[in-house]
Each structure stands twice: as C-alpha cells, then as structure tokens.
C-alpha cells in the first residue's frame, strides 16, 4: 500500500523536481568527483578483507583501524588522521581536539560568533558541569559577525593583538544560528587572513555536516585540523558511532592523548568488529551525502512554492547538508516535524514533542526515525523552541525516501 500522500502535494512535488534538474546535475557531478577521490585512496592503500577484522580488549595491532586513519589523511590531504568509534559524537571529538591544542593560559577564539549549543558547555560559556576549558584556565573570546557575515578584519586584529590566542575555531555549518554556512572558499580566505596576521595560531574547523558537499575540504585550503562525526556525512549511513579528525600530525597526536591517556593515545582502542562498516560507510559517503543534499534542495523548493522563506534557497550552491526553514510560529514547527517523523523508516508512528535535550538551554523538538540513533545523515528535522521558530532539516540516505519525508511534512504542515 502506498504512503497516504494526497494528489495536490504529489503534484507540488513533481513541479519542484521539474525545476531542479540543473541543481541535481551539479550535485551529481560533485559526488562523482568525490567518489573517484575515495576510490583512489582505497586502492592506493590496498584495502583488503583482512582490514575488516575487529579487535577486542586493548585493541593492539588493529591493522584496519590504523589503515583507515591513513585513508582519511589521504582523502583530506593531511599529514595524519584519527578515526575512532570511541568518540561518542562530534562534540566529543571537537572537545578532544581543543583540549589537545590548548593549555592553561591560552585563549580559544571562535571566528564566526557563538558556537553550537553543545560546544558552549565544553568551552564553559554555559555551565554544564565541571571539566570545561574554562575550568582548566583556558580563556575564550569570539569574533562577532558583521551583517551576518564573517568579520575578517576582526579576526586579524584579535590574533595580532592578543598573544595568548593559540587556536581560532571555525564552525563550518550554521548550527542553530541564522547565518549562512561557510563555503570552503570562504574558509580559505579566513585561514589566509588569520595566518598572515599571526602564523603561530592554529586554525581548527568544525567540519560537521560539510564533508563531501564540495570537492575540497578545509584542510586542503590551509586549515590545520578538521573534526567531525561519523554518524553524519563521512559515515555514509553505515558507521554505528564515532568521530574523526584529520590534519597536522602533532594536533592529531595531542587529541589522541585526550581521547585515551598520555603515553597510550591512538595505540589502544578496540574496534569490536566495526571496521567493515566504517570502511564501507566512507566508500558510500560521497554518494550518500549527495542524496542528502538533493533532499535538502527539494525541501527548499517545496517550501518556496508554499511561500516560506528558506536558507539556502533551492538555487544556491550548497556548503553543507542543512536546510533552514523559517516557519515563524511554534505550531508550524511541530507539524513539520510530525510529518518528517511519518516519513521515517524507523519509529514512523512516534509523535515528536519538544523536550529538554542534554546540552541545550531551551526545549528542542527532534524528528528522527533512524537506523543509527541520532544519525544526521539520515532524514531528520529539529528546532529549538524559540523565536524565530526555524526548523533545521538534514539528511536522507536516499533521495527517493527523503522526498517522501518532505511530501509528508508538507502535507502535515498544510493540515491535509
């Protein structure tokens, strides 16, 4: 029996698709180039069946784990990489990177305003319990946006005038802000300005939601380290958990000491039979990311046809998988999320409601019926229940299934 989607909404979907052919061709071309890059790395490093054997206990001599580090470094154009299921999420990986790169008395600067909500607890901007950077004597500053755009002069001035600044952190995606996500070209310009003002400052990039959306990654344009989650783009929908980082060898090594302990670092950490999923997920990642981007573009076009303001627009070039939709009132947010949940392959019968999620200061509603709990590469939508009542939608393992979720969300929003 087909999904219960009425003729009016299906016709609106056909109209949206007919207007997106050029955009979809552009997305497919990026996926093809990135797939070739990943395939070439797999072949160069002679990936074999033996790499998929997992380890237990201490995880010594895990060839598959260590080779995957090398493959990530190859793909991201870096000296080194660390790919581990021991990272609980992207925030955990970012935290390890920051604690590794900074010491008491140093200053961390966020380059594009306040960071994502969960990172604020890591820094100590908000009190989420003991163990923040602030608790360890690490200072924090941020460069505010100017007209909702990065302030290049402000970045240069801050790293030039404050000798305690050791790390400038760039958050590629918008998080729950309303600014545009950053392109790799924009990140390249920011890195250039920062390094010219103070070459001793390390530039780290929160790369979550951005991997494989473009043909270059931030480390290929000068960033010292990128960090992200395996249950977003690079896990390809198959990685069951974990995070990664890729960049300069010393920064990777210091972060590994924070993941485990000094003196052990990356040498321990069993993979428990997950290597195959991590390899296969990475292999699929360029294609899966393209499916998510197509789903986001389709959502943008559908909402535009209904008269809603969206960012990016359906015709804009994409820099991450997130689609921002300004619904303007709380009931519309709830209806849209209910529709996304109805389009899920898992828990489709559940009704999402706002709740006090760990790491957030306001109730958050989240629609997510995923094979991997919390996997943002699978179709989901979430929103902080505060003005301007904007929903953030991402994911879609396949465009076809993602499209169905959007149609159901539109139907629910229309009350049909």
């Amino acid at each position: 029996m087909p999904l219960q989607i009425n003729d009016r909404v299906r016709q609106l979907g056909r109209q949206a698709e007919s207007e997106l052919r050029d955009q979809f061709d552009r997305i497919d071309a990026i996926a093809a180039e990135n797939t070739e890059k990943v395939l070439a790395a797999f072949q160069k490093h002679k990936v074999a069946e033996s790499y998929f054997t997992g380890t237990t206990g201490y995880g010594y001599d895990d060839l598959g784990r260590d080779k995957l580090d090398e493959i990530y470094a190859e793909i991201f154009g870096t000296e080194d990489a660390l790919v581990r299921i021991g990272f609980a999420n992207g925030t955990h990986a970012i935290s390890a990177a920051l604690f590794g790169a900074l010491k008491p008395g140093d200053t961390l600067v966020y380059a594009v305003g306040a960071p994502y909500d969960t990172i604020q607890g890591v820094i100590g901007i908000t009190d989420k319990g003991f163990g923040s950077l602030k608790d360890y004597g690490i200072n924090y500053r941020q460069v505010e946006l100017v007209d909702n755009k990065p302030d290049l002069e402000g970045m240069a001035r801050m790293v030039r005038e404050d000798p305690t600044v050791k790390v400038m952190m760039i958050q590629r995606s918008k998080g729950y802000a309303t600014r545009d996500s950053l392109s790799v070209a924009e990140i390249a310009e920011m890195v250039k300005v920062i390094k010219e003002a103070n070459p001793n400052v390390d530039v780290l990039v929160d790369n979550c939601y951005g991997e494989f959306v473009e043909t270059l990654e931030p480390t290929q344009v000068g960033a010292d380290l990128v960090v992200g989650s395996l249950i977003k783009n690079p896990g390809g929908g198959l990685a069951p958990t974990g995070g990664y980082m890729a960049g300069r060898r010393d920064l990777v090594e210091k972060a590994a000491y924070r993941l485990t302990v000094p003196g052990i670092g990356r040498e321990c950490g069993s993979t428990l039979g997950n290597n195959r999923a991590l390899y296969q997920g990475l292999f699929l990642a360029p294609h899966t990311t393209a499916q998510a981007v197509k789903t986001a573009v389709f959502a943008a076009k559908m909402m535009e046809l209904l008269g809603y303001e969206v960012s990016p627009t359906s015709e804009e070039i994409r820099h991450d998988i997130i689609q921002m939709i300004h619904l303007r009132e709380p009931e519309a947010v709830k209806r849209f999320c209910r529709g996304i949940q109805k389009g899920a392959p898992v828990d489709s019968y559940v009704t999402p409601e706002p709740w006090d999620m760990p790491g957030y200061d306001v109730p958050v509603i989240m629609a997510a019926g995923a094979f991997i709990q919390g996997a943002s590469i699978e179709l989901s939508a979430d929103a902080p229940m505060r003005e301007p009542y904007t929903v953030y939608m991402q994911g879609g393992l396949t465009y076809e299934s993602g499209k169905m979720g959007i149609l159901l969300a539109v139907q629910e929003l229309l009350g049909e």
Side-chain angles (χ1 to χ4, degrees):
M1 185 176 70
L3 296 172
Q4 299 301 303
I5 302 172
N6 66 41
D7 290 341
R8 178 194 173 198
V9 172
R10 288 185 185 274
Q11 177 55 40
L12 200 65
R14 286 190 286 271
Q15 179 184 347
E17 279 189 316
S18 70
E19 298 177 19
L20 292 173
R21 292 195 183 101
D22 290 344
Q23 182 75 303
F24 281 7
D25 286 346
R26 183 186 301 119
I27 295 165
D28 286 338
I30 292 170
E33 185 170 338
N34 283 327
T35 295
E36 184 173 351
K37 179 167 62 176
V38 171
L39 178 58
F42 273 51
Q43 293 182 350
K44 177 178 178 179
H45 291 272
K46 297 181 171 61
V47 173
E49 175 71 24
S50 59
Y51 288 7
F52 306 148
T53 303
T55 51
T56 60
Y58 294 131
Y60 289 137
D61 302 318
D62 193 318
L63 180 62
R65 179 195 64 198
D66 296 341
K67 283 293 183 180
L68 189 59
D69 291 345
E70 295 177 17
I71 290 168
Y72 263 76
E74 180 80 25
I75 292 168
F76 285 84
T78 60
E79 292 180 345
D80 201 359
L82 184 74
V83 187
R84 293 293 182 274
I85 61 171
F87 288 118
N89 49 34
T91 298
H92 183 192
I94 293 165
S95 176
L98 292 174
F99 272 103
L102 294 158
K103 60 183 184 295
D106 290 345
T107 296
L108 163 68
V109 176
Y110 256 73
V112 283
Y116 188 68
D117 297 48
T118 57
I119 298 294
Q120 294 185 24
V122 173
I123 295 168
I125 301 172
T126 57
D127 185 5
K128 298 297 182 181
F130 178 77
S132 68
L133 293 170
K134 181 180 179 181
D135 289 332
Y136 283 88
I138 295 167
N139 307 306
Y140 174 75
R141 299 177 69 184
Q142 63 190 43
V143 181
E144 301 297 346
L145 300 170
V146 175
D147 296 327
N148 224 26
K149 297 290 184 182
D151 179 6
L152 295 174
E153 291 184 5
M155 294 175 209
R157 183 168 56 252
M158 191 168 290
V159 299
R160 190 166 47 236
E161 295 177 356
D162 185 349
T164 69
V165 175
K166 300 300 180 186
V167 169
M168 180 75 78
M169 190 80 185
I170 298 171
Q171 184 176 291
R172 179 174 178 176
S173 189
K174 60 176 65 69
Y176 281 156
T178 55
R179 67 168 174 84
D180 292 336
S181 296
L182 300 173
S183 68
V184 174
E186 287 175 304
I187 293 172
E189 186 177 10
M190 294 165 70
V191 173
K192 182 174 182 290
V193 166
I194 294 163
K195 293 290 187 179
E196 286 180 349
N198 187 343
N200 296 317
V201 170
D202 295 326
V203 179
L204 277 59
V205 177
D206 173 355
N207 210 27
C208 287
Y209 304 102
E211 301 92 348
F212 301 117
V213 175
E214 300 186 48
T215 57
L216 290 175
E217 299 295 336
T219 41
Q220 294 172 292
V221 295
D224 296 295
L225 191 76
V226 291
V227 191
S229 167
L230 294 185
I231 61 170
K232 296 183 175 68
N233 305 18
L238 294 183
T241 187
Y244 81 94
M245 60 189 66
R248 216 173 63 219
R249 182 165 287 112
D250 64 307
L251 292 174
V252 172
E253 192 69 19
K254 290 174 181 177
Y257 290 151
R258 295 298 310 192
L259 173 62
T260 60
V261 296
I264 291 179
R266 70 196 309 158
E267 301 303 320
C268 282
S270 56
T271 51
L272 303 173
N274 288 296
N275 281 347
R276 188 186 302 274
L278 301 189
Y279 274 88
Q280 193 171 6
L282 176 61
F283 180 72
L284 293 174
H287 175 75
T288 305
T289 299
Q291 301 301 290
V293 176
K294 285 183 177 181
T295 300
V297 169
F298 178 76
K301 176 59 74 173
M302 286 288 287
M303 299 306 290
E304 286 170 346
L305 291 174
L306 293 174
Y308 287 94
E309 180 187 356
V310 299
S311 180
T313 68
S314 61
E315 298 302 320
E316 286 185 80
I317 303 297
R318 299 285 162 145
H319 309 304
D320 64 9
I321 65 171
I322 295 177
Q323 181 60 52
M324 188 164 58
I325 303 167
H326 300 295
L327 295 172
R328 302 303 182 192
E329 54 98 10
E331 285 307 311
V333 170
K334 293 178 185 179
R335 289 198 300 271
F336 185 89
C337 289
R338 284 199 296 265
I340 291 292
Q341 190 74 36
K342 288 181 178 180
V346 181
D347 293 334
S348 61
Y349 55 88
V350 172
T351 300
E353 293 288 348
W355 66 293
D356 295 321
M357 289 182 65
Y360 299 87
D361 292 328
V362 296
V364 174
I365 187 170
M366 179 169 288
F371 293 101
I372 304 297
Q373 188 181 89
S376 301
I377 194 60
E378 301 187 49
L379 182 64
S380 62
D382 49 280
M385 298 305 292
R386 63 190 178 207
E387 292 183 347
Y389 295 107
T390 295
V391 69
Y392 298 80
M393 192 220 80
Q394 58 273 317
L397 290 178
T398 69
Y399 165 66
E400 293 79 10
S401 63
K403 178 176 71 173
M404 293 298 104
I406 302 307
L407 294 178
L408 286 164
V410 166
Q411 183 167 272
E412 189 75 19
L413 185 62
L414 294 174
E416 299 180 359

